[in-house]
Amino acid sequence: MVQRKLQVAVSGLGRMGARHALHFLNLTPRAELVAAFTPDPKEVAWGRQHLEPSGCTIYTDYDEMLKHPGLEAVVVATATTVHAEQAIKAIKADLHVLCEKPLSTSVEMSQAVVDAAKAKPHLKVLCGFSRRFDASYREAWERMDSGSIGRPAIFRSQTCDKLDPSGFFVDYAQYSGGIFVDCNIHDIDLALWYFGQDSVVKSVMAVGITAVQPELRKHKDVDNGVGVVEFWGGKIAYFYSSRMMAAGQHDMTEIIGTEGKLSVNANPMGSLVEMSEASGIRREIPPHYYGRFREAFVTEANEFTAACLDDTKLPFKLSGAVQAVKIGCALQESLNSGRKIYFDETGRRVEKAGL
Amino acid sequence: MVQRKLQVAVSGLGRMGARHALHFLNLTPRAELVAAFTPDPKEVAWGRQHLEPSGCTIYTDYDEMLKHPGLEAVVVATATTVHAEQAIKAIKADLHVLCEKPLSTSVEMSQAVVDAAKAKPHLKVLCGFSRRFDASYREAWERMDSGSIGRPAIFRSQTCDKLDPSGFFVDYAQYSGGIFVDCNIHDIDLALWYFGQDSVVKSVMAVGITAVQPELRKHKDVDNGVGVVEFWGGKIAYFYSSRMMAAGQHDMTEIIGTEGKLSVNANPMGSLVEMSEASGIRREIPPHYYGRFREAFVTEANEFTAACLDDTKLPFKLSGAVQAVKIGCALQESLNSGRKIYFDETGRRVEKAGL
Amino acid sequence: MVQRKLQVAVSGLGRMGARHALHFLNLTPRAELVAAFTPDPKEVAWGRQHLEPSGCTIYTDYDEMLKHPGLEAVVVATATTVHAEQAIKAIKADLHVLCEKPLSTSVEMSQAVVDAAKAKPHLKVLCGFSRRFDASYREAWERMDSGSIGRPAIFRSQTCDKLDPSGFFVDYAQYSGGIFVDCNIHDIDLALWYFGQDSVVKSVMAVGITAVQPELRKHKDVDNGVGVVEFWGGKIAYFYSSRMMAAGQHDMTEIIGTEGKLSVNANPMGSLVEMSEASGIRREIPPHYYGRFREAFVTEANEFTAACLDDTKLPFKLSGAVQAVKIGCALQESLNSGRKIYFDETGRRVEKAGL
Amino acid sequence: MVQRKLQVAVSGLGRMGARHALHFLNLTPRAELVAAFTPDPKEVAWGRQHLEPSGCTIYTDYDEMLKHPGLEAVVVATATTVHAEQAIKAIKADLHVLCEKPLSTSVEMSQAVVDAAKAKPHLKVLCGFSRRFDASYREAWERMDSGSIGRPAIFRSQTCDKLDPSGFFVDYAQYSGGIFVDCNIHDIDLALWYFGQDSVVKSVMAVGITAVQPELRKHKDVDNGVGVVEFWGGKIAYFYSSRMMAAGQHDMTEIIGTEGKLSVNANPMGSLVEMSEASGIRREIPPHYYGRFREAFVTEANEFTAACLDDTKLPFKLSGAVQAVKIGCALQESLNSGRKIYFDETGRRVEKAGL
């Protein structure tokens, strides 16, 4: 007897949406991609060519797509600005949801998704923090969890994009929520994972510069940011994000404990090839995050599918996504006000925390 | 209109056969795994559980499997001793074949497969030299081909297995053809790829020892071998193979040209995690070749499928597989006779080649 | 005709003083170690054994040592608390001075040394920022200076000591000035070197924890600190210091520019040996800063000697040492007050800088 | 009381001789460089400028130099062709000798030096195998000796020079003894050190090519060589030497045992600086062996001096140098004859060894 497959739709067929669609189509054996939505004519054309022949219906109306017969789950991979709205609609339509990060650049909207999900406890609602599905991050977590580094105390993490001289990031900045919400959101989520989802922020401080794209300032954003987050209980996370890496994408993390340190991707590499040439020894690194995290996205698709079909627990809770956005927004605020922001031991904002 | 999928069977559900089956079942979108053969009851049970629910019929008779309705292609992944026979049968049944390496431990039998394939030029017959499908080896080849290292002249390559104290390799040695045919066959095939498929061997010399498993001598094999192959035209390949690596699998290659060097996997790693601990900085490496080459096997499955469906060329010729076995057997002979073996410029064996 | 040698004395024969003494004795061809001072009986004994046989007089009174006939230069390597006093006395005695870092943990005392030196412009007075003499830091500086990374914008640097469970660092903390003054002073000095000695601080913020030695709090110190320094003109330096590294000393630096990045010692190693063993691939790293910077100290001794003998310029100005202490003290203050500290474009402290 | 210093002379002030002279002059506290010999006017001028002012007498007649009043030791660093003759003369003049490797390119001449030394057992006679003094090679040896890799069985080592397009190596080849005697002599010596000085060669086989400098053939030499040496008792050493490395000098070694592997300099680096730039991540490596082994040469000078002054044992026996030349010459012969060379268990050459 052939096994039942999860009936999945993808919303958005842009860069990341198209990848999600192909992952569910080709690399997620227990899922069947039955529908896709995009309002964009070019993306519609792409879908017609690459998805339709495999039995996937292309919609240009999101609400219509939600009514696709037999549909069980929706992957929301549109622009960040509509993530929350689409996720909530899908939840209300009684569909499982895998929503790209962040749920929203607003804490309130993010919370609204969580609230909608809470009202439908039988649904699986996942925020796509892809690094949570990365084999190396998982290995590091297990090593830490087994006590190999003692008690984790310092967390350093960076998300650094290759320089894109086209100006793309300037336009993008008006919707992205800013570099701390867009880039470091991953690092913040990792800090919460490694330090514990119930960690309470004590203070937040960020600074930044526009070294290559001064027009970012009009959207209150920067191209290089440094943020420091203190947690109650003696833990510190510090972050770096950048849009001007020359060599390529370099996302990396260190978890420093009382008895050791774990690093993830300290020495990035795009392949296993090293070149010895007159100018020295050289290796290339991935140009984009997808080169680094492709496997994690595929794992995400498969695990989401399995959780929906088997009604098993997702690997992490949705509510953490709100906490991550909250910290990201506080960092972005600190960047722009120039001020350090304080919180008390219940996580409530205060003028100046005691020490 | 849904696209047609290649109807594939896998012969052998042992360690590698099971992996091939799952690759074709789950990770090869254009293929459909419709049948599998194994004479082994345990493997039958595994197939019943993992393959049958997806619509794959399990056979215990190879000839019966070849008659599976609509079957188009067979993956031969049984013991090396029956590779050639099964491949030839499948070819005669007018089926495409992906045969695990080596075609046979005998040059004559390997040639018989090539001859059978030649008689059916419309069929795709591929010898599964997995490294040919590895992204890093392909990148290295393209870099070399673009002239980045000048003229390639020296080729160093090793296939080194993790120590298996169970004695597995002793039993295995009676069928494997010996360490140069079983392990270094990959390195030999790579040398032929990088130096050119028409390279003519000038001399072959090998030595070896049994450092950890002296019983290997009864099968005329060793657990550590060093082989050197001269090619006419001023090229040298040298190989190392071992069954006693402490840390894990370490397969690596260097291609040294007149203007540079390319290395593939000089610094093996099992993940992107590095551990700093009281004893220093440490990383783990893959325990088995599958940990290193999984992606290559999946690519192999997809490219073989595409070539069958679209009637396009395979990435390399089957005849090279005979040349690789020929060199591997000569190395094994040199190991056991203690003598250097010479060939003239037409590749014919001679008592002592001129210089 | 035999060349004249600089007549040098070393003050302090503790860990670092003894090393300086041996460097001047054995590895500084143009210098002659003629005197050494220490009030400590054990150190006197060590000096009697190791220095006296080579013609070095051991003093237990610093002022007496300054009167040693023919003395030309003094290396001040005593406890930080007396650096400034001894340096000033030596300057007043018309002697060249190489003073270990920091000049003082107080900005005022540091400035007093600079003032004393200014009054004797014919003397060479050097603050021993050893990394300035390190071949790799110099190479990085030259690469940056040649424009290879565009305009430097972000500077990350860390000084991380191996965990010393003896409690040494707790006692030490009462004199050290705190982790930012003691450890990160090197990183701060490097930031000023790479960003330009005339860089003006815009803001300073630090946080820290006591993860392994809670008693540090009684000396207002921590065992892990993170500090962020903004400079006017769009540059950011961020620092990490730690006293709890499991594997050994790890000091490293990244200089990130608009067109590239330079890292110094991103992958520390104690030797060129790598061990492959059942638990993976491992390397050891230096346990102490001397293992990393020995060559730099020797270069420092030789360059200081040459500058004195030949009346040539020292590689960097003494005044920068005050600027480094100023930043280090501000970080330490921010750590303890929990507040961000602001400066205007002239470097004057203000309540809240404009953005 | 000032300690006595060893009175040392250096013969030859070419590239390596000048370095030895400076090491003994400046970096060997217990030695005094009192004399130097060179017949070359340019080298005389260099010595006048750099050595004479420190009290070193420059001679243009070797025999005269040997009569320098109070002379105790001679460093022979002239062309390989006169190493043995000068070493023997110095020994006969009752002087300690540090002779650059190889003692001679002839086994007989090498043995003559050993015989001369045996006749004067109170003298220290050292062959300058610099890697024996290298901290990393020593660390590897100690790790092996402590049992960390089980029983050593396979030894791989290479000496690879940066490409020198000037044709220098062609002229040099007429005196050097060939690539296996000139380059791999170091690797052979290491093999004897790690496998044990009493290891008996069972067979020797070498091949080579002239990839960049075909004129080397007129001196019976090659620019790339691969050699394999079997030892009785189940051990294999294999070597690679090259004159065409694009990136710089790369000398490296692996010692593979039954329980682990040690690598020395698997990942060469010229400094601790890594560059991230548009073309990837890059590091430079040392252009010459001196960039890699400078510290080892200084240690050699200091240990030789201490052994002479204190009459203590040298770290290794002179007789091994003959064994190394014997193996190097056999490899060179095998390269040119195309034949494998066999030895019996007493080390005597035979037509074909039993297996």
Side-chain angles (χ1 to χ4, degrees), chain D residues 109-295:
Chain D
M109 281 301 287
S110 301
Q111 186 59 47
V113 179
V114 173
D115 293 342
K118 268 190 194 149
K120 301 257 194 173
H122 60 290
L123 294 181
K124 307 294 166 190
V125 183
L126 178 68
C127 181
F129 284 120
S130 44
R131 293 180 202 182
R132 295 259 192 165
F133 298 90
D134 177 66
S136 293
Y137 275 110
R138 287 178 165 190
E139 178 191 332
W141 194 88
E142 276 150 31
R143 289 186 185 282
M144 181 198 75
D145 193 49
S146 74
S148 74
I149 59 164
R151 190 166 43 78
I154 301 283
F155 183 89
R156 174 170 86 83
S157 200
Q158 70 177 39
T159 296
C160 294
D161 291 339
K162 189 173 166 68
L163 178 70
D164 179 344
S166 73
F168 164 78
F169 283 122
V170 176
D171 287 340
Y172 183 63
Q174 56 190 311
Y175 308 111
S176 75
I179 202 163
F180 290 105
V181 175
D182 185 54
C183 285
N184 283 138
I185 195 84
H186 285 294
D187 307 291
I188 296 166
D189 176 62
L190 290 173
L192 292 169
W193 182 22
Y194 286 89
F195 277 168
Q197 211 65 50
D198 52 351
S199 300
V200 179
V201 177
K202 183 179 176 187
S203 79
V204 154
M205 201 287 303
V207 296
I209 55 172
T210 51
V212 281
Q213 280 165 330
E215 307 98 85
L216 282 169
R217 286 313 297 152
K218 73 182 172 206
H219 302 306
K220 300 200 164 188
D221 206 3
V222 292
D223 50 27
N224 283 270
V226 173
V228 181
V229 177
E230 275 184 295
F231 292 95
W232 286 99
K235 293 193 174 96
I236 294 171
Y238 67 111
F239 306 115
Y240 173 49
S241 48
S242 179
R243 308 284 197 189
M244 70 174 198
M245 291 296 106
Q249 184 82 13
H250 188 199
D251 301 339
M252 71 89 70
T253 299
E254 281 182 352
I255 310 108
I256 305 170
T258 49
E259 294 165 30
K261 180 175 82 167
L262 293 160
S263 346
V264 179
N265 201 32
N267 291 291
M269 51 200 310
S271 74
L272 300 174
V273 178
E274 215 174 40
M275 288 86 82
S276 293
E277 46 204 6
S279 57
I281 299 180
R282 182 169 64 93
R283 67 182 191 279
E284 295 184 354
I285 70 171
H288 297 300
Y289 72 100
Y290 189 66
R292 164 69 182 86
F293 289 109
R294 178 184 175 277
E295 280 302 300

Side-chain angles (χ1 to χ4, degrees), chain A residues 1-3 25-29 52-55 134-137 139-140 143 148-149 259-267 269-278 282 284 292 294-295 298, chain B residues 1-3 25-29 52-55 134-137 139-140 143 148-149 259-267 269-278 282 284 292 294-295 298:
Chain A
M1 193 194 70
V2 172
Q3 291 175 324
L25 183 64
N26 293 330
L27 301 167
T28 311
E52 226 174 49
S54 304
D134 177 66
S136 292
Y137 276 109
E139 179 192 328
R143 288 186 186 281
S148 74
I149 59 163
E259 294 165 29
K261 180 174 84 168
L262 294 161
S263 344
V264 179
N265 202 32
N267 291 291
M269 51 200 310
S271 75
L272 300 174
V273 178
E274 213 174 38
M275 289 85 82
S276 294
E277 47 204 4
R282 183 169 63 92
E284 295 184 354
R292 164 69 182 88
R294 178 184 176 275
E295 279 303 299
V298 173
Chain B
M1 195 194 70
V2 172
Q3 290 175 323
L25 184 63
N26 294 330
L27 302 167
T28 311
E52 225 175 50
S54 304
D134 176 66
S136 293
Y137 276 110
E139 179 192 330
R143 289 186 186 280
S148 74
I149 59 164
E259 294 165 29
K261 180 174 84 169
L262 294 161
S263 344
V264 179
N265 201 31
N267 292 289
M269 51 200 309
S271 75
L272 300 174
V273 178
E274 213 174 39
M275 290 86 82
S276 294
E277 47 205 4
R282 183 170 64 93
E284 294 184 354
R292 164 69 182 88
R294 178 184 176 276
E295 280 302 299
V298 173

Side-chain angles (χ1 to χ4, degrees), chain D residues 9-24:
Chain D
V10 168
S11 171
L13 293 175
R15 201 171 53 170
M16 202 55 228
R19 285 170 183 155
H20 278 298
L22 293 173
H23 296 167
F24 276 93

Side-chain angles (χ1 to χ4, degrees), chain B residues 230-267:
Chain B
E230 275 184 296
F231 292 95
W232 286 100
K235 292 192 177 99
I236 295 170
Y238 67 111
F239 306 115
Y240 174 50
S241 48
S242 179
R243 307 284 197 193
M244 69 173 199
M245 292 294 106
Q249 183 82 13
H250 187 198
D251 302 340
M252 69 91 68
T253 300
E254 281 181 352
I255 310 107
I256 304 171
T258 50
E259 294 165 29
K261 180 174 84 169
L262 294 161
S263 344
V264 179
N265 201 31
N267 292 289

